[in-house]
Amino acid sequence: MTDSTIVDLRRELRKAREALADTETHLARHAEMNAALHCSDRVMYSPLHAKVTAAMHGIDHALERTTPDPSAPTLDHQSSDGPWAALVADLDRCEHGRHRGDSCGDCGSESHGNPHLTPGQVIGYGLHGDRIVMPDRESKHEISAWRRTSSEARRRA
């Protein structure tokens, strides 16, 4: 499994954990409301509440086991560049929010990615004329994959 795949999976796990946390809170409030409604001194939580809590612990465990190496440069929400790096790393998403190659029900079976930016397309230029290009999916978390020198660009052409 590549580092970029792990970064994508961690992002999806964080989103799932957030949804489960909200679900857990909702279920707890519902159980507490029922106890108050029936003037019970004991709250009876549903089996679904226990399953949601267990799923959250599983996600936490998976996130701990896949913590990236802090010395490795990455482009994600956890990097020192924060939201700017996340913005760049998300440039290959389709209009439904899925990365190129991920399953997307709205695109059909597989996301076609951003129709405006294809891998290898020049999206800008650096201070010394280096081309900034859209890298392929496997390389998008490598900072060096985003830049090509003028001589490198001529060789690829």
Side-chain angles (χ1 to χ4, degrees), residues 21-49:
D22 291 342
T23 303
E24 181 186 41
T25 301
H26 172 78
L27 291 171
R29 298 299 175 264
H30 193 267
E32 292 160 4
M33 176 198 65
N34 279 339
L37 181 67
H38 296 289
C39 299
S40 176
D41 59 345
R42 195 169 65 149
V43 177
M44 301 289 288
Y45 294 101
S46 71
L48 179 60
H49 185 270

Side-chain angles (χ1 to χ4, degrees), residues 5 10 21 23-24 28 38 40 72 95 110 113 115 124 128 140 144-145 153-154:
T5 303
R10 287 180 56 80
T23 303
E24 181 186 41
H38 296 289
S40 176
E95 63 184 301
E110 187 177 284
H128 302 290
K140 74 177 184 172
S144 61
R154 281 193 293 272

